[in-house]
Amino acid sequence: MSTPWFLPAPLIDVAALALWWGLLKLSRRRDNRRLRNGILFLLLVGATVRALLHLASLIPALSIPVGLGSVAFFLLIALMPFLLMFNGVVLIRREGRRLSNLLCLAAGLGLIATPMAAVALVATANPWALLVAALMFCACAYLGVFLLIFLGQTVVQRIWGGRRAMPHPDVVVVHGAGLINGKVGPLLGSRIKGGIEAWQDEEALRPGVPLLVMSGGQGADEPVSEARAMADYAIARGVPPERILLEDRSTTTRTNISYTRDLLAERGMTDPQVLLVTSSFHAVRTAILASDMGVPWAVEPARTAWFYIVNAWLREYVAVLTYRRRPALACAGIAGVFAVLYALLAIGAQTGIIG
C-alpha cells in the first residue's frame, strides 16, 4: 500500500522520531529511573530502525551498511543461546558451581529447549498439547517483552543516569556485598573504588562537604559488618575516617536505602543530593527500587568483571520481575481466561456439544 501523498514516508519517520524522543526526554526529566523510560527507548529505537530502512531504500549507498547491520543483528539473535551457555561455563569455572552461577547456562539451554518443546507439542495435534504450547508462548512473550524493557532501561541508565543525573552529590553511598573470609573481595572492592572516585571528585570541588557512607550489615558468617570492612578499605586508600559514616544494619538493597535515609535524617540532612554506588549489573534494580521508595537518588555503576556481568544482570532481571507483580498477574489472568475458554471449547467438541 502506497503512502498517501499528503503524508509522505519521510515525514512519518521524522514525526515518529520526534514523538518518541520528546516523550523519552519528558519522562527522564520526571524520573529517569522508571521502567517506562525503557519502553520509550525501545520505541525510539524501533522508529530509528524504520527510518534507516527507509533511507536505505532511497539512498543505495546506505543499503550495504544497513544490510550488514541487519545480518549481524540476526546472527547475534541466532547465536545468543550458545553465547549464554559459553558465558555460563566460563563463570562456573571461575566462580564455582553455585546455584546463583547457573542462571546464564540455564537461560541458554532454555532458549534452545523451549522452541523445540513447543514444536513437539504442536506436532501432536492434541488439543491439550496445543493449549500447553499456547500458554508457553504467552509466558515466553511476557518474559521476553519484560526482558527487552529491562534492557532498554539499562541503556537509559548508562547514558543518562549516575553522575550525569547527580553531578554534585552531598553524599556518596556505597552499597555492600558479601565479605570473603572477613575481607573485601574484588566485587565489593570495585564498588568502594567507584565510591571513592566520586567522593574525591566532589571533594576537590567542595572541600569538606561530601560524605562517604558505607552501607552493609553483618552476615552470620562475617566477623565484622560489611560497612566496617568497607570503611577500613577506604581509609587505607586515603579517605579521612571523619568523612566516613557507617550504616551497618542493612541486609538487602531496600534496607541499604531506607537505613541510609534514616542515618542522614538523624544528622539533619533531610534532602541531600545522594549518589548511590553499586556494581554495574545491580545499578538498574537499585535505581528502580529507590524510585519506588520515593527517594530522588541517582545510582552510579561500578566496574564488574566481564564474565560475571551477564549472569548477574539476569538475576537482577528476575528480581525486578518480582517487584512488578501487577503486570505478571494481569498477563496470567488473560492467559487463564484464554485457557478456560479453550478448554470449554475442546471439551464441547469432544463430547459433541459443540459442532
Side-chain angles (χ1 to χ4, degrees):
M1 181 180 295
S2 60
T3 304
W5 64 271
F6 53 84
L7 198 59
L11 183 59
I12 295 176
D13 294 337
V14 172
L17 286 169
L19 173 64
W20 300 127
W21 173 255
L23 290 176
L24 177 60
K25 187 175 182 179
L26 178 62
S27 179
R28 287 193 296 105
R29 284 184 177 178
R30 294 183 62 184
D31 190 342
N32 67 16
R33 302 166 299 174
R34 309 298 294 181
L35 281 173
R36 64 169 179 258
N37 296 289
I39 298 173
L40 293 171
F41 179 79
L42 292 176
L43 292 170
L44 177 63
V45 170
T48 303
V49 170
R50 185 183 187 280
L52 287 175
L53 292 175
H54 183 74
L55 280 175
S57 67
L58 297 176
I59 306 175
L62 292 178
S63 60
I64 294 178
V66 170
L68 291 175
S70 301
V71 170
F73 173 77
F74 287 109
L75 186 62
L76 177 62
I77 296 299
L79 294 177
M80 185 61 67
F82 306 100
L83 294 175
L84 286 171
M85 288 190 291
F86 172 77
N87 185 261
V89 171
V90 172
L91 180 63
I92 291 170
R93 286 182 175 178
R94 296 200 181 195
E95 298 290 324
R97 296 183 181 181
R98 296 194 300 271
L99 184 62
S100 60
N101 291 339
L102 299 177
L103 186 58
C104 209
L105 182 60
L109 291 172
L111 287 177
I112 295 175
T114 301
M116 293 175 64
V119 170
L121 288 169
V122 172
T124 64
N126 183 286
W128 303 111
L130 293 176
L131 175 60
V132 172
L135 292 178
M136 286 175 58
F137 173 79
C138 292
C140 291
Y142 172 73
L143 294 174
V145 169
F146 200 98
L147 182 68
L148 287 175
I149 294 171
F150 190 67
L151 177 61
Q153 181 59 19
T154 300
V155 176
V156 169
Q157 280 292 290
R158 291 305 297 266
I159 296 176
W160 293 290
R163 295 175 70 177
R164 293 181 181 86
M166 189 73 67
H168 300 296
D170 303 315
V171 181
V172 177
V173 181
V174 182
H175 280 192
L179 302 179
I180 300 176
N181 298 322
K183 297 181 180 180
V184 172
L187 181 67
L188 182 54
S190 178
R191 295 184 183 187
I192 301 171
K193 291 175 184 176
I196 292 174
E197 181 180 338
W199 177 85
Q200 288 175 335
D201 289 347
E202 194 58 29
E203 175 72 11
L205 296 174
R206 298 188 295 165
V209 172
L211 290 173
L212 186 59
V213 177
M214 300 301 182
S215 177
Q218 183 175 355
D221 59 343
E222 295 174 335
V224 297
S225 69
E226 294 169 8
R228 179 70 268 169
M230 293 160 67
D232 293 340
Y233 189 93
I235 291 169
R237 283 156 180 75
V239 180
E242 64 273 12
R243 305 300 303 282
I244 300 176
L245 294 180
L246 301 186
E247 183 288 290
D248 55 5
R249 297 184 296 153
S250 59
T251 56
T252 65
T253 304
R254 183 179 293 275
T255 52
N256 280 138
I257 296 172
S258 62
Y259 289 160
T260 299
R261 178 175 53 188
D262 295 342
L263 179 65
L264 296 177
E266 290 172 2
R267 295 179 62 89
M269 304 176 71
T270 56
D271 191 24
Q273 299 290 298
V274 178
L275 181 70
L276 305 175
V277 180
T278 188
S279 301
S280 57
F281 62 84
H282 187 234
V284 177
R285 177 161 71 96
T286 302
I288 292 171
L289 189 56
S291 180
D292 290 345
M293 295 174 67
V295 291
W297 301 351
V299 183
E300 175 70 10
R303 294 183 182 89
T304 309
W306 69 268
F307 62 87
Y308 192 81
I309 290 178
V310 178
N311 192 81
W313 186 83
L314 287 174
R315 289 207 316 267
E316 298 300 302
Y317 156 72
V318 173
V320 174
L321 270 174
T322 66
Y323 293 165
R324 296 294 181 266
R325 295 185 180 91
R326 289 182 180 178
L329 290 174
C331 290
I334 294 171
V337 171
F338 162 78
V340 169
L341 293 175
Y342 181 91
L344 291 174
L345 290 173
I347 293 171
Q350 289 177 350
T351 58
I353 297 175
I354 299 178

